[in-house]
Amino acid sequence: QVQLVESGGGLVQAGGSLRLSCAASGRTFTNYAMGWLRQAPGKEREFVAAISWSGAIRNYADSVKGRFTISRDNAKNTVYLQMNSLKPEDTAVYYCAATNSVYNDLHKYDYWGQGTQVTVSS
């Protein structure tokens, strides 16, 4: 079992930046690839970014490429999502999740955090 706790969400103006963090505990962090996913009001949950256990492989949704960066610090059991040039359409609850490989498919993720709200005002 892996426990995940997100932090760093909040309210920001369009064009601003936020950094989300996700602290993991339980099983060995380096056993897992990690992902960030989000769910906007009235919409289905969607993939945002994923990173392999070593950090060598990173995938991004087209909607965030060039603006968001996923990274991890295995010594701290933490994964990050740096979000720059935020847009109102980035408003959502952001979840981190763990899986055994780098996937874009939400159904491949086994463990989920409780989510953190990001609101981008225009």
Side-chain angles (χ1 to χ4, degrees), residues 1 18 23 53 97 100:
Q1 192 80 0
L18 280 175
W53 72 270
N100 63 347

Side-chain angles (χ1 to χ4, degrees), residues 11-16 38 40-41 43 67-68 85-92 94 117-122:
L11 174 63
V12 64
Q13 289 189 334
R38 67 186 182 186
K43 295 188 177 181
R67 299 189 298 123
F68 290 10
S85 302
L86 282 161
K87 304 175 181 180
E89 51 264 43
D90 294 317
T91 295
Y94 283 72
Q117 177 70 47
V118 172
T119 303
V120 184
S121 62
S122 57

